[in-house]
Amino acid sequence: MKEFIIKKVEKKNYVQRTCRIEENLLEKLEEISYESNQSVNSLVNNCIKFALENMKK
């Protein structure tokens, strides 16, 4: 499996969208966000991009 690497997200156009995240997942995202000095929003975008690029079709 490909390795997930946290990248700094460049400024782009964003759309605000509300979604529900499991509490334990949010806690882990916040922890990683703090450790990598990156916003949770940026981290979530990186995770989604990685998942979509590596998803079996």
Side-chain angles (χ1 to χ4, degrees):
M1 181 177 199
K2 212 171 182 185
E3 186 176 337
F4 177 71
I5 300 171
I6 299 172
K7 300 175 187 172
K8 198 76 163 169
V9 176
E10 48 198 72
K11 290 260 181 180
K12 295 182 181 184
N13 291 331
Y14 289 94
V15 177
Q16 187 170 344
R17 178 76 182 185
T18 302
C19 65
R20 296 175 189 266
I21 300 174
E22 294 174 18
E23 189 174 2
N24 62 321
L25 294 177
L26 180 57
E27 289 170 357
K28 185 66 176 170
L29 285 169
E30 289 173 335
E31 181 182 315
I32 295 169
S33 169
Y34 178 79
E35 291 170 356
S36 64
N37 193 32
Q38 194 172 156
S39 70
V40 172
N41 186 68
S42 177
L43 182 58
V44 168
N45 276 283
N46 273 312
C47 290
I48 293 170
K49 189 180 297 184
F50 179 82
L52 291 173
E53 290 173 354
N54 295 283
M55 184 171 71
K56 290 185 180 181
K57 298 179 180 170

